[in-house]
Amino acid sequence: MLTETPTKISERTALRINPAKTCQPIGAMYAASGIHNCLPYSHGSQGCCSYHRSHLTRHFKEPFMAATSSFTEGASVFGGQPNLLQGLRTVFAAYDPDVVAVNTTCLSETIGDDIPQIIGEATSSGIIPEGKFVIHANTPSYDGSHITGFSNMCVSMVKYFAKKIEDKPDTDTPQLNILPGFVEPSDMRETRKLAEACGFKVTMFPDTAGVLDAPQTGKFEMYPSGGVTVEELQNLGAGVKTLALGPFASKEAALELEKRAEVPQEVLDLPIGIAATDRFISALQAAGGEVTPEIENQRGQLVDLMCDVQQHFYNKRVAISGDPDNVLSLTEFCRDLGMIPVHILTGTPGKAFGRKAEEILGDKADQTNIEGEKDLFLLHQLIKNEPVDLLIGTTYSKYIARAEDVPFVRFGWPILDRFGHALIPSVGYAGAIQLIAKMSDALLDRRDRDCTEYEFELVL
């Protein structure tokens, strides 16, 4: 809660601070991009699809492919079924995807288009070729955030493909299903690496590694080689367990898979920071995995680094904003580094955010502004009232950092004004090391900038 009347923010600055909430279809498109040979399809106006594609392209610095129903005034009045049927004809004829993943927009949801009925019509009329699939998720942006859309599309993957497998294969390499959360391709790659090192065959869905971080070969590929395959999705029932990383992004799909395929599931926090990664590794052990010396050494390196930098982090005040799963794990990591989380904020709705934050902070929770379903305008007000030493958030937070002269670390989605984030992991022990490096660089750069001449040290 605000403890005093906030200092006035200039109108110009306020207008430049975008809200933390973002359209659902962006999350649904991102999830769909993690299926091999899948084309995301926005059922709505052309402008909606253009916005979603451009924002994803600007974040990943990779061309993001998607199709649209291109609603006009007629479709807005009489319904979008003809547009979707014609769009599916065109998409399969021109681009030949294995899967078309339809996500709805505000307009198609408001006029009441029945997507399962339209897909049924497309199937019965032969528009969908033999061996091809059309799946869908309902994603109006007035219900939740892009994390809600991501979750809805993950649930749809389960509903359309997963089935119970009675006779699970007897193998020395058990299959583990992982829902990685709304994270970078590099994070999915690091999560897979840890699970495979513990002795599992991993089916990860969605999986954008190799899709939105594909190498430059000089040749355009409509469908890069990465992503989860249809066969893997149809074989989810063979898993010994499902690990859902990030309750906001991944929980619902894990529950749906347990219901449909009777695969036991466990919901964990995103493995950002040492404590959350420890819990992930413990879950791998509980599922039958073995921790390798390499993983133990990597954890030891992280602990050593945390000891090395503790004097620079101790009692530093931090504000964190972004997607709820990211913010919660970052809050725990900052706590473990000896920092004081002063403001934590997400734009995604849900009371679970506040409950989990209070659990993490314990008796310090009453000293922290915990804000759910709020925007960056409020965060700016809070920072004016109670200044911080470090701000962690998406590119949109840069306006606050500049206005209040606060060291700033970009984290989460979207990052529109920097490069390389899709290639550098933030999860696992390796990701925690990267995070400490970025955070300490920001704090020590500020110390060097502001210190007196005789305090300008070569070694800190």
Side-chain angles (χ1 to χ4, degrees):
M1 297 296 292
L2 290 173
T3 56
E4 56 182 287
T5 303
T7 307
K8 185 177 180 181
I9 301 174
S10 70
E11 181 179 3
R12 180 179 176 218
T13 302
L15 290 173
R16 292 175 67 189
I17 300 175
N18 285 22
K21 290 180 69 176
T22 315
C23 289
Q24 270 211 37
I26 288 180
M29 280 189 172
Y30 181 50
S33 71
I35 307 176
H36 186 59
N37 283 21
C38 175
L39 186 67
Y41 187 106
S42 179
H43 185 52
S45 68
Q46 190 170 356
C48 294
C49 186
S50 296
Y51 169 70
H52 305 148
R53 284 186 58 195
S54 65
H55 229 55
L56 288 162
T57 296
R58 287 167 180 164
H59 174 88
F60 293 106
K61 317 303 183 198
E62 294 285 339
F64 191 95
M65 301 300 165
T68 175
S69 291
S70 297
F71 275 28
T72 60
E73 293 86 346
S76 302
V77 174
F78 299 110
Q81 177 165 325
N83 293 56
L84 181 51
L85 293 176
Q86 181 57 51
L88 291 175
R89 285 192 191 93
T90 302
V91 160
F92 281 116
Y95 304 116
D96 191 32
D98 292 331
V99 181
V100 174
V102 179
N103 58 265
T104 58
T105 63
C106 305
L107 183 55
S108 58
E109 286 283 337
T110 301
I111 64 178
D113 275 351
D114 186 344
I115 306 302
Q117 178 270 319
I118 299 174
I119 293 175
E121 175 68 22
T123 302
S124 61
S125 59
I127 293 174
I128 303 175
E130 187 75 23
K132 306 290 186 177
F133 303 89
V134 177
I135 68 175
H136 89 285
N138 297 96
T139 55
S141 63
Y142 47 70
D143 179 20
S145 73
H146 59 279
I147 295 299
T148 318
F150 178 90
S151 173
N152 290 350
M153 185 58 78
C154 292
V155 170
S156 291
M157 292 180 194
V158 174
K159 286 183 176 179
Y160 277 91
F161 294 115
K163 57 184 180 293
K164 183 178 178 181
I165 296 178
E166 297 288 353
D167 298 321
K168 296 186 179 182
D170 186 14
T171 174
D172 294 334
T173 307
Q175 176 181 313
L176 181 72
N177 304 325
I178 297 181
L179 285 143
F182 194 91
V183 293
E184 302 281 5
S186 53
D187 295 320
M188 297 180 183
R189 197 183 301 277
E190 182 67 18
T191 300
R192 177 186 292 275
K193 177 182 174 183
L194 288 171
E196 289 180 344
C198 290
F200 292 101
K201 173 189 175 185
V202 176
T203 297
M204 182 175 293
F205 72 102
D207 185 4
T208 58
V211 179
L212 292 173
D213 62 351
Q216 175 61 265
T217 64
K219 179 182 177 183
F220 172 73
E221 292 185 51
M222 183 74 183
Y223 306 108
S225 60
V228 62
T229 66
V230 169
E231 291 75 17
E232 288 174 319
L233 290 171
Q234 292 172 333
N235 201 45
L236 287 170
V240 296
K241 193 171 186 179
T242 300
L243 295 183
L245 307 183
F248 281 85
S250 302
K251 177 181 178 180
E252 294 304 319
L255 292 174
E256 184 67 26
L257 181 55
E258 184 177 50
K259 182 175 74 174
R260 287 178 175 268
E262 298 184 5
V263 178
Q265 53 79 28
E266 183 177 359
V267 180
L268 301 169
D269 300 313
L270 276 181
I272 297 172
I274 188 166
T277 303
D278 284 349
R279 291 193 292 273
F280 175 61
I281 297 298
S282 295
L284 294 176
Q285 282 184 296
E290 294 186 10
V291 179
T292 64
E294 181 184 1
I295 293 175
E296 291 181 346
N297 289 340
Q298 202 170 57
R299 186 184 189 278
Q301 290 172 332
L302 171 59
V303 172
D304 183 64
L305 178 60
M306 291 173 68
C307 293
D308 291 342
V309 301
Q310 58 85 26
Q311 72 270 29
H312 300 296
F313 283 94
Y314 181 69
N315 269 359
K316 287 294 190 294
R317 297 162 58 84
V318 61
I320 308 169
S321 69
D323 298 338
D325 295 325
N326 286 344
V327 171
L328 291 170
S329 291
L330 280 172
T331 298
E332 183 179 50
F333 190 34
C334 288
R335 179 206 67 188
D336 292 343
L337 288 168
M339 306 180 79
I340 302 173
V342 180
H343 315 295
I344 61 174
L345 178 146
T346 186
T348 298
K351 294 181 179 179
F353 176 79
R355 292 195 297 267
K356 180 64 176 178
E358 290 174 359
E359 178 187 325
I360 290 170
L361 295 168
D363 57 4
K364 302 290 181 64
D366 58 351
Q367 303 172 28
T368 304
N369 291 303
I370 302 170
E371 303 290 348
E373 200 173 1
K374 295 299 192 299
D375 60 26
L376 297 182
F377 184 85
L378 174 63
L379 180 61
H380 196 171
Q381 292 176 311
L382 293 171
I383 290 175
K384 278 185 172 292
N385 285 343
E386 299 179 66
V388 295
D389 300 301
L390 182 67
L391 173 61
I392 303 175
T394 70
T395 285
Y396 290 122
S397 299
K398 70 186 288 185
Y399 298 109
I400 302 175
R402 178 170 176 168
E404 303 307 317
D405 194 23
V406 179
F408 176 42
V409 171
R410 289 161 176 80
F411 188 90
W413 188 91
I415 297 175
L416 308 175
D417 60 338
R418 293 295 186 273
F419 299 84
H421 42 267
L423 303 172
I424 301 172
S426 297
V427 304
Y429 302 123
I433 290 171
Q434 294 284 352
L435 268 176
I436 288 178
K438 291 170 66 175
M439 293 162 65
S440 61
D441 282 353
L443 290 170
L444 295 178
D445 283 346
R446 172 54 51 89
R447 175 173 170 168
D448 280 345
R449 192 199 76 175
D450 293 346
C451 69
T452 61
E453 188 68 28
Y454 66 85
E455 293 175 316
F456 191 61
E457 299 288 352
L458 184 63
V459 179
L460 291 176

